[in-house]
Amino acid sequence: MKELEIAVALRKEGKLKESNEILVTLANDYPDNSVINYQCAWSFDVLSLEKEAVPYYEKAILIGLPEMELQGAILGLGSSYRTLGKYQKSKEVFEKGLAKFTDDRAMKVFYAMTLYNLNEHSKAMEILLTNLAQTSSDENIKIYKKAIEFYSDKLDEIL
């Protein structure tokens, strides 16, 4: 669809408001198109209008999305809920997302942020430390990778 391609191109060019206007029109014209709803949600998200993004994310996920878009929509919805202070909803979205996309490190990091907001600091740190140890190219982190992974879930233990 030409209008959708134009809207996505405008977003990539940093013309966020123009992109959003096209996507809102498209979402109104094609309310059952999951990809348009996802792109519309994303267009609100990049404008820091998470409250407006949420219903479009929810609808896109409900209708059904291809894998790549679904992964992005789950991350976007969970992150939007967190930003809006709806931490329990955010946690639920991320847990469902991580059950499906077990290797999505970005989703794990956003999930850790939500856990932090829910005062689940130990679990949040465990996720962050594990991801740091497994992905860092920093030589000093690599040297201590095993120790970081070992202690990631033992931060409160005292010998």
Side-chain angles (χ1 to χ4, degrees):
M1 179 178 298
K2 188 74 173 160
E3 295 96 341
L4 181 58
E5 290 174 22
I6 291 168
V8 171
L10 286 169
R11 181 176 58 229
K12 288 178 182 174
E13 294 169 16
K15 297 176 180 170
L16 306 179
K17 200 114 170 82
E18 296 94 325
S19 173
N20 174 260
E21 289 168 1
I22 293 169
L23 288 162
V24 169
T25 300
L26 286 172
N28 287 331
D29 292 346
Y30 302 95
D32 296 327
N33 185 308
S34 61
V35 174
I36 288 173
N37 276 280
Y38 168 54
Q39 291 294 333
C40 189
W42 187 351
S43 76
F44 278 115
D45 223 349
V46 297
L47 290 167
S48 298
L49 298 170
E50 285 83 357
K51 188 175 180 181
E52 289 81 356
V54 165
Y56 291 99
Y57 278 131
E58 291 173 334
K59 190 170 187 180
I61 292 167
L62 185 66
I63 294 169
L65 286 163
E67 290 287 301
M68 283 298 293
E69 284 88 352
L70 178 60
Q71 203 166 348
I74 290 170
L75 195 147
L77 179 59
S79 177
S80 292
Y81 277 146
R82 190 194 73 76
T83 302
L84 295 169
K86 297 180 179 186
Y87 304 130
Q88 195 57 45
K89 279 184 140 182
S90 175
K91 181 180 179 181
E92 291 166 13
V93 168
F94 283 132
E95 287 176 346
K96 285 178 186 173
L98 287 168
K100 184 165 183 59
F101 303 105
T102 55
D103 296 329
D104 187 327
R105 292 194 186 277
M107 196 177 299
K108 288 177 184 180
V109 170
F110 279 89
Y111 176 56
M113 289 184 224
T114 295
L115 293 177
Y116 170 85
N117 291 123
L118 288 167
N119 293 316
E120 296 182 36
H121 303 125
S122 294
K123 184 66 179 169
M125 283 296 293
E126 177 185 347
I127 291 167
L128 292 176
L129 288 171
T130 300
N131 277 283
L132 174 68
Q134 293 174 354
T135 62
S136 181
S137 59
D138 182 276
E139 289 304 317
N140 286 328
I141 298 292
K142 285 180 178 179
I143 290 169
Y144 294 103
K145 176 183 177 179
K146 286 183 182 176
I148 292 168
E149 288 178 321
F150 177 79
Y151 288 115
S152 68
D153 64 347
K154 298 168 185 62
L155 295 174
D156 296 317
E157 290 183 17
I158 299 172
L159 298 177

